[in-house]
Amino acid sequence: MSSLKQRSSTVIPARSVPLAHRQRGITTLGFIILAIFIGMFAFAAIQLTPVYLNYLKVAGVVSGVKQEFDGQNPTVADIRRSIQRRFDIESVSEISAKDITVKAASGGYEVNATYDHVTPYIANVSFTVHFSETALIRR
């Protein structure tokens, strides 16, 4: 009887085990939903990366023109030629050099690149990203 008593005391019924110890991991359905959710964010990042890389090129052109002509007393034609040349070198695709506005401002010229970039996402859903970069070139 003592051996029977020992055996029965070591067996733990399923009802006495806490719920957290019995349920571990993720179900197949939960994993699929999680994978789709993470996949949608990854696909959005893949779609938006070239858009932001193109913006970095435009911002680099605007800041490069500012560095080149700041304090040099340039003309509007000089600034426009430099923008066109830099756009050709950088292979900027979404905006052209003609879309950059160069206007007289107090003490110099204001160079402004403002544009919207629309990129498709899934089906009829797309992302619209607004960019604006401005530099003041002093005379």
Side-chain angles (χ1 to χ4, degrees), residues 101-122:
T101 60
V102 180
K103 60 183 177 181
S106 62
Y109 295 103
E110 182 180 271
V111 179
N112 186 1
T114 301
Y115 67 100
D116 293 330
H117 191 138
V118 178
T119 186
Y121 181 54
I122 297 173

Side-chain angles (χ1 to χ4, degrees), residues 14-24:
R15 282 183 246 154
S16 67
V17 175
L19 187 61
H21 291 294
R22 284 189 294 158
Q23 296 181 355
R24 294 183 205 201

Side-chain angles (χ1 to χ4, degrees), residues 24-32:
R24 294 183 205 201
I26 187 169
T27 63
T28 303
L29 181 61
F31 178 74
I32 291 171

